[in-house]
Amino acid sequence: MLDYTNAEVVLETRDLTKHYGGVHALEGANFKIHKGEHVAIMGDNGAGKSTFVRQITAVEQRTRGDIILNGQPTQFDSPIEAREAGIETVFQNLALADDLDVPSNLFLGREKVKFKLGPFSILDNKAMREATMAGLVKTGVKIPNILNSIQNMSGGQRQCVAIARTAAFHSKLTIMDEPTAALGVQETAQVENIIRTLKEQQEPVILISHNMRQVFDLMDRIVVFRRGRICANLTIDGSIKPEDVVAYITGAKTGEEFPEAM
Amino acid sequence: MSQSSHGIGGLTFDEKKKARAPEWNVFFALLLIVGIFEGLGALLMGQSLLFDSADRFDSIFNEARLKIIILQVAIIGIIALGSTQVIILGGIDLSPGSIVGVTAMIAMSFAQVAEISAGVVNPKLMWAGISDLPVIVPIVIGLAVGIAAGAINGLLIAYTRIPPFIATLGMMVFARGAAKWWSKGQPISFPTDSYAALGAGMMPVFIFIALAILFHLILKYTVYGKHTYAIGSNEQASRMSGIKVEHHKVLVYTIAGALAALAAIVLSSKNLTAQAGMGVMYELDAIAMTVIGGVSLSGGRGSILGTVLGSLIFGVIISGFTFLKLDAYYQEMVKGIIIVGAVVLDQYRQKRNASRM
Ligand SMILES: Nc1ncnc2c1ncn2[C@@H]1O[C@H](COP(=O)(O)OP(=O)(O)OP(=O)(O)O)[C@@H](O)[C@H]1O
Ligand SMILES: [Mg+2]
């Protein structure tokens, strides 16, 4: 197993906290991910996993804490700024526009243009189509016609479009929130292949998943959330077993036995 | 089976069996309605609606009636181009009829002549010193009024988060009041020749067609168009994708306001007068044209081409009723039925799509 402790830190959070009124959804999260590293985030429903992602990607503004990207403290005001800084995200509720076709969804918010004219810039549809084809072929997804609106596509195809969106753009960090939760066996395999491809390309990934097999197959490390706090940080090597992870998720075990390995 | 050039992963896609563009359905509806009126015409009147039945003209069509049909939908059609964009965005705009009223009043007050003919002063002149201005003055002022009203709609909707229905209803009532207030209820008449030329003859039709082509291209080929569809389709996703949803909404409502102002200028020019009651119910006719043209009230779907076809259906129905010498009551009743029918059809289409997911 590779040791990432000495690799360059891509993203770090310090004391990252989010309160929704009285709900302490995320409390003092200290987290690190290194170049090329694939980290799983696990935890019960409502443990604060998606909340954690929403703070990093600036979908919401944090209550307090620091987010450090490539050594620079950041303060993104909007998801687009996070994305421009290189954080690509597949959200749990797919952020896709149903009535648009695949290229439009892939390039939503960052369309290629032929001719700049402010909001009336002329779209470069051909370039977007070609880039879409190239990006999707890599993922092994099957789509009969990328120019159909995506509302009639299967869940797996839609998910692959959402993921291809992140894979098609060279990013510093890819975050996926339960990308295979609604998928069949074959589609899940496809998504896992994309994650493997990212691994080969040395691109760091944060994967939120409830699927133990998937996490053990694909990831280097597991960070467990419980009631808004990070309660364990487990490097996946021979010594760690799925039962241990479950124990942390349910609270049967606490983090003391595994001091932070960051 | 012809292999598509847009498929991947070995799935084949038969280009020839591609789903028909929804505009075709609107076009067929147009043909059907023309057919119905032709049938009724032959049966009841022994005449044709659109064709030259008695060899009275040089062409196969009854040009006079065709002109009337297009002319009477052109001005509301200009408004409908704005309604189309607002509805695709997922909103609704009830204010353009009233914006037409206030814009017509204000623009016309800067377009008046001092003397109707040599020595005869304009009895309706609003301000003694302000007359015979270059035509660009009323145009710019009129557009500014429409743009301001549209921008206020957009700002209210985007930043105070009140529903578009309420915001534009407020504007509808306010702008109508402003139209009456401007001249204390008096009509404003006798424009300069150059102003009168803006809406003379077939000008409204040319302006409508030119604007329709312009906005068709904008919706289809620009980032503005893409984002309008995206926001109407999934506002949350658009926001997460980094589209500046609030800015965009302001822009779309502003354009709708500007189009209403253009309609007002053309209409007041055509009528050679402006009255505070101008444009009443135009917003509903414009929404009807849009909906009949296949633009989905839930946003994200529709096109300018559809709306243009919808406006023609609208025109044929109105002319058809006049042609059959049926009372105007029936016209309005049938209009109502068709609007509801178009929305029911859209709901049905959506349900069918949803059940396929
Ligand atoms: N906008 C909000 N307002 C109030 N409470 C919220 C809000 N968003 C999330 N929460 C609460 O914060 C907690 C964490 O939610 P979060 O979505 O992060 O859970 P999760 O770990 O992603 O769960 P799941 O596995 O079900 O996706 C939950 O108790 C949730 O109810
Ligand atoms: Mg979640």
Side-chain angles (χ1 to χ4, degrees), chain A residues 50 92 177-178:
Chain A
S50 297
Q92 187 167 10
D177 194 348
E178 302 194 30

Side-chain angles (χ1 to χ4, degrees), chain A residues 96-141:
Chain A
L96 297 173
D98 270 358
D99 299 301
L100 305 189
D101 60 14
V102 179
S104 302
N105 268 291
L106 233 74
F107 287 90
L108 202 60
R110 54 184 148 182
E111 292 78 6
K112 281 184 195 264
V113 299
K114 272 196 280 215
F115 188 76
K116 268 199 139 87
L117 252 177
F120 299 104
S121 298
I122 312 291
L123 296 165
D124 192 346
N125 285 320
K126 187 156 171 282
M128 290 194 276
R129 267 203 307 274
E130 285 166 3
T132 301
M133 292 295 251
L136 284 176
V137 164
K138 269 196 287 188
T139 67
V141 60

Side-chain angles (χ1 to χ4, degrees), chain A residues 18-26 41-54 60 92 177-178 208-210 225 228:
Chain A
K18 177 70 182 178
H19 296 170
Y20 298 106
V23 183
H24 293 202
L26 185 66
I41 292 182
M42 303 192 81
D44 247 342
N45 294 125
K49 308 180 295 296
S50 297
T51 305
F52 179 68
V53 172
R54 286 197 295 269
E60 295 168 353
Q92 187 167 10
D177 194 348
E178 302 194 30
I208 298 179
S209 175
H210 292 285
F225 276 62

